[in-house]
Amino acid sequence: QVQLVESGGGLVQPGGSLRLSCAVSRSGFSINAMGWYRQAPGKEREFVATITSGGGTKYADSVKGRFTISRDNAKNTVYLQMNSLKPEDTAVYYCNVVFAVIGTGWGQGTQVTVSS
């Protein structure tokens, strides 16, 4: 059974940084895109960033210039470096992985809270 295990969330002050990780375990399937979404209280889940198997990236306008997505294909892990965090970045962040054969998987979510 494929598992997506997230880590790195927490409480940070405005202007601070956090790094999220999502490791895909027990997967013998090829991975295409990997990405991150987030869901704030009372809002719908929204796209944050994605990275293709070839390293191409795309970001939501709200995080461009502040967040950086990267991946380690050897470790089946995707990262999200978040800098200059704002209170409006507070949300549960979900890892999203698109597999070549079995479809899309989601992580369990990790809470990011930006507050003074």
Side-chain angles (χ1 to χ4, degrees):
Q1 182 177 355
V2 175
Q3 291 184 328
L4 279 65
V5 180
E6 302 176 18
S7 61
L11 172 65
V12 64
Q13 292 186 342
S17 299
L18 282 175
R19 189 192 194 208
L20 305 183
S21 300
C22 174
V24 181
S25 63
R26 303 190 212 173
S27 171
F29 302 101
S30 295
I31 296 173
N32 290 340
M34 306 179 82
W36 294 90
Y37 287 70
R38 66 187 182 186
Q39 187 167 18
K43 295 187 177 181
E44 293 187 353
R45 191 173 297 188
E46 64 176 7
F47 166 78
V48 176
T50 189
I51 184 168
T52 67
S53 57
T57 59
K58 187 176 293 186
Y59 296 91
D61 288 343
S62 59
V63 307
K64 279 181 183 177
R66 300 187 299 121
F67 290 10
T68 302
I69 190 170
S70 61
R71 64 190 280 177
D72 185 332
N73 291 330
K75 296 181 179 179
N76 284 343
T77 300
V78 62
Y79 306 95
L80 186 68
Q81 177 66 43
M82 304 185 294
N83 299 328
S84 302
L85 282 160
K86 305 175 181 180
E88 50 264 43
D89 295 317
T90 296
V92 177
Y93 283 70
Y94 295 92
C95 170
N96 172 271
V97 176
V98 180
F99 297 92
V101 175
I102 61 173
T104 299
W106 292 91
Q108 80 282 3
T110 185
Q111 178 70 47
V112 171
T113 302
V114 185
S115 175
S116 55

